[in-house]
Amino acid sequence: MDGTLLSKQHWDAIVVGAGPSGAISAYGLARAGLRTLLIEKASLPRYKTCGGGVTYKAARALPFSIEPVVERTLHKVDFSWRMGHTFVAESRTPLVYMVQRSRFDNLLTEQAVQVGAELMDATTVTSVEANEYGATVSTARGTFTADYLVGADGATGRVARGLGLMSDRWALPAIESEIIPDDRTMSHWRDKLGLDLGELYASYGWVFPKGDHLSVGVGGLPLLAEYGSRLKEYDAMHTAARVPVVCRVIRRHGYLLPCRRQGAAVQKGRAVLVGDAAGLVEAFTGEGIYWAIRSGQLAARAIVKGGPQLHYQRELDRRLMPDLLSARRWFRVYVSFPRACYMLPRRLPFFWAAVCAIVRGEDRYRHLAKRLGPFSFTEKLLPDPLLELG
């Protein structure tokens, strides 16, 4: 950013946060001709806590290729039951692309800048205000106003707190380590991701291979007493079982996956929340990139249509939330019958085909009930397990 940007005090839209939801919001706004300012607190490219799995459907939702930053293309899933009894299920077509979030986010931001968005990174937002007429964003580099504001600054971001939104969201804890293993272990994981089920109630473990290291973690619903300590124990056991030789731990961190309560406000006046800031995370898989992209696109479209009646939340509730809520209800099946969920991909090919279709975006969670024929009403009987969190 050069010094001339400070003279542009008023913008058509300001986007706070340059993750996938913010970058795609800025991309859509700038491409439509709106003067758009994208503010990011870190200096880009920056490290981001994330497994780095971009599903096929997420990549397909983008208007440009992510091929330049893809480190591995995965067709296989290595399932384990309580860190043993493994089997591999394979898809003939790609399921997940593995990326470093620093490079992936930077690619999306560069695309937004190329179509006209102004980037102001290494800039902390100190406060925000919004009403039906516009928004004000105060930063360490000055105060800016805009007709519209997009909060894309993550689960603990300034925008939602400043606007008094998402204070009642659920938060699902996770622990992840980036590990350099020995060559034999790295070779095992080179073409597959790992998913461990059944060890800790309502929780799971994963292994994601990157170009030169592994992202290994655990997470789930905190429905047990002393869940934090038990999750740490599971993390240690899971890592030892799935990565038997650890040469070096690059970093280890804990984080929270935010989940929105049905009907919770993600809009105030001309300000909207997208991605993690809006709690748009798939509860079981922890997948948030697809929902970040789609919410960013919905926000941009709503703002481009403009006017005092900004219909972003209505469109979000109509287009995205039904599937997220359906995914939570199907998550109840895993919570109640983890062993069956481990066995089904191996014993029932049609079940594995249904899972692959959802990951690839060829089907949706809320359509799964149709496969049950006369028992399609079953999904509506499944309670949302997140409601147990209070």
Side-chain angles (χ1 to χ4, degrees):
M1 182 203 78
D2 59 37
T4 60
L5 186 60
L6 292 177
S7 66
K8 300 177 180 178
Q9 294 294 319
H10 187 81
W11 299 80
D12 293 327
I14 294 176
V15 180
V16 179
S21 61
I24 292 305
S25 296
Y27 177 90
L29 293 165
R31 194 173 188 186
L34 275 66
R35 293 178 60 253
T36 304
L37 174 61
L38 176 58
I39 303 175
E40 165 59 40
K41 67 179 180 180
S43 179
L44 297 179
R46 51 89 175 99
Y47 174 76
K48 168 67 176 179
T49 302
C50 180
V54 179
T55 60
Y56 179 86
K57 69 178 179 181
R60 193 174 65 171
L62 291 168
F64 44 80
S65 172
I66 65 168
E67 191 277 333
V69 298
V70 172
E71 298 192 356
R72 296 185 186 272
T73 300
L74 304 182
H75 298 241
K76 302 177 183 179
V77 179
D78 183 319
F79 287 93
S80 62
W81 174 253
R82 296 183 175 178
M83 299 161 289
H85 309 287
T86 64
F87 72 90
V88 175
E90 182 173 1
S91 167
R92 289 177 295 177
T93 49
L95 294 174
V96 181
Y97 302 105
M98 301 310 305
V99 302
Q100 296 280 2
R101 279 293 302 274
S102 57
R103 298 180 62 213
F104 177 73
D105 291 7
N106 201 53
L107 171 69
L108 270 56
T109 300
E110 287 175 344
Q111 293 292 322
V113 171
Q114 286 179 17
V115 297
E118 294 267 13
L119 172 65
M120 187 165 67
D121 62 350
T123 303
T124 301
V125 170
T126 56
S127 67
V128 298
E129 297 177 11
N131 55 34
E132 66 271 26
Y133 303 108
T136 300
V137 178
S138 298
T139 78
R141 298 194 182 187
T143 297
F144 305 90
T145 59
D147 294 332
Y148 299 96
L149 170 64
V150 179
D153 49 347
T156 59
R158 173 78 64 176
V159 176
R161 286 185 286 119
L163 298 177
L165 300 176
M166 292 299 294
S167 60
D168 63 345
R169 57 153 198 200
W170 290 298
L172 283 55
I175 302 171
E176 185 175 68
S177 301
E178 294 186 43
I179 295 171
I180 295 179
D182 67 319
D183 291 342
R184 182 177 181 179
T185 303
M186 195 71 210
S187 178
H188 170 79
W189 291 111
R190 71 183 184 278
D191 62 348
K192 63 182 75 72
L193 63 88
L195 184 61
D196 180 66
L197 306 177
E199 176 61 27
L200 187 64
Y201 181 68
S203 305
Y204 61 99
W206 67 86
V207 180
F208 285 173
K210 305 297 177 59
D212 60 356
H213 70 277
L214 303 174
S215 292
V216 185
V218 295
L221 294 181
L223 298 177
L224 298 173
E226 300 181 352
Y227 183 78
S229 61
R230 299 178 76 165
L231 190 65
K232 290 178 181 178
E233 292 174 2
Y234 177 33
D235 177 54
M237 292 189 298
H238 174 256
T239 300
R242 301 291 255 171
V243 188
V245 180
V246 175
C247 295
R248 182 163 66 93
V249 176
I250 301 172
R251 57 172 60 88
R252 177 177 285 117
H253 39 249
Y255 56 98
L256 299 175
L257 300 173
C259 289
R260 179 188 178 220
R261 293 179 185 269
Q262 185 175 7
V266 290
Q267 178 178 330
K268 182 177 181 180
R270 292 194 178 189
V272 302
L273 303 178
V274 294
D276 281 6
L280 303 178
V281 172
E282 202 171 287
F284 175 48
T285 65
E287 206 278 304
I289 293 177
Y290 171 76
W291 308 102
I293 291 169
R294 292 289 291 116
S295 61
Q297 291 169 337
L298 288 179
R301 290 171 191 165
I303 290 171
V304 168
K305 289 182 179 179
Q309 298 299 318
L310 189 60
H311 296 304
Y312 167 71
Q313 180 159 330
R314 183 189 68 182
E315 290 299 289
L316 181 73
D317 286 335
R318 185 169 72 92
R319 295 179 179 273
L320 301 189
M321 286 306 298
D323 219 38
L324 282 170
L325 293 170
S326 181
R328 292 181 194 175
R329 289 192 289 270
W330 287 114
F331 184 19
R332 164 55 63 187
V333 177
Y334 170 67
V335 172
S336 301
F337 308 103
R339 179 76 177 184
C341 291
Y342 160 75
M343 296 296 296
L344 286 174
R346 187 177 193 175
R347 296 191 174 181
L348 298 177
F350 78 87
F351 179 86
W352 174 241
V355 171
C356 293
I358 289 174
V359 174
R360 287 180 53 81
E362 296 159 354
D363 205 347
R364 299 185 178 186
Y365 282 101
R366 65 179 185 267
H367 296 160
L368 284 179
K370 296 179 181 178
R371 297 176 181 267
L372 299 177
F375 300 99
S376 61
F377 65 89
T378 303
E379 181 192 340
K380 295 182 179 179
L381 300 180
L382 297 171
D384 183 344
L386 272 65
L387 295 175
E388 296 182 32
L389 299 177

